[in-house]
Amino acid sequence: MPEWKDAVAPDAGLIEELARQAVASLPAAFAGAAAQVVLRVEDFASEDFLDELEIDDPLELTGLYDGVPMTEKTSSAPQHFPDTVWLFRRAILDEWASRGDVTLAALVGHVVVHEFAHHFGWSDEDIAKIDRWWE
């Protein structure tokens, strides 16, 4: 019998490990700024995040940048919390299973790069111009 019968779903630790590998592979020009961002993995987005984004289904949100983009930071308006990239394990696993055509590492890496792009000041429209991943 195949060994898959003993398989378990990837846990938050594995998702975080894949995400840290993706951050480590960012171009050197972005490495310093990326190192200042907290990386968090949770099973689902909080109700506050979902309400703020007007999302009803928590499986629709795989990641989120929570902070002030570098292009908007000023020394006169200090930030009282760290910039954070959130990854939502269950939504990532749901998308991975439904796609069936990408590795988990590729999907996590893509979500990480997308959220860090927001930290660097890119809008969803800017990202979509060069990234056709979701088509």
Side-chain angles (χ1 to χ4, degrees), residues 30 33-34 65 68-74 83 116 118-121:
F30 297 103
Y65 169 66
V68 178
M70 292 178 59
T71 54
E72 297 175 20
K73 289 184 188 287
T74 65
D83 291 313
F116 272 87
H118 288 308
H119 172 65
F120 299 128

Side-chain angles (χ1 to χ4, degrees), residues 5-6 15 20 25-26 28 30-31 37-38 49 52 87 97 111:
K5 67 180 175 63
D6 295 323
I15 301 295
R20 293 201 182 282
S25 71
L26 291 172
F30 297 103
V37 177
V38 174
F49 286 152
E52 183 179 325
L87 301 177
V111 173

Side-chain angles (χ1 to χ4, degrees), residues 99 110 124-135:
R99 278 175 150 290
H110 181 80
D124 279 329
E125 294 78 25
D126 294 333
I127 297 166
K129 288 177 186 172
I130 63 165
D131 183 4
R132 309 317 272 167
W133 177 272
W134 307 116
E135 289 183 349

Side-chain angles (χ1 to χ4, degrees), residues 1-122:
M1 252 209 172
E3 295 299 317
W4 58 266
K5 67 180 175 63
D6 295 323
V8 295
D11 65 8
L14 177 59
I15 301 295
E16 182 175 345
E17 180 182 325
L18 295 172
R20 293 201 182 282
Q21 289 172 8
V23 171
S25 71
L26 291 172
F30 297 103
Q36 304 302 312
V37 177
V38 174
L39 185 62
R40 299 273 315 264
V41 179
E42 298 290 338
D43 271 350
F44 292 104
S46 69
E47 286 296 322
D48 289 342
F49 286 152
L50 296 172
D51 290 346
E52 183 179 325
L53 296 168
E54 298 178 357
I55 295 174
D56 293 324
D57 183 355
L59 293 176
E60 291 180 15
L61 187 61
T62 56
L64 178 70
Y65 169 66
D66 184 24
V68 178
M70 292 178 59
T71 54
E72 297 175 20
K73 289 184 188 287
T74 65
S75 59
S76 62
Q79 192 171 314
H80 299 289
F81 57 90
D83 291 313
T84 304
V85 165
W86 295 87
L87 301 177
F88 305 114
R89 184 183 75 91
R90 296 284 303 273
I92 289 170
L93 295 179
D94 185 67
E95 181 171 334
W96 177 54
S98 65
R99 278 175 150 290
D101 64 349
V102 298
T103 66
L104 183 58
L107 178 59
V108 170
H110 181 80
V111 173
V112 166
V113 168
H114 181 98
E115 299 310 331
F116 272 87
H118 288 308
H119 172 65
F120 299 128
W122 292 38

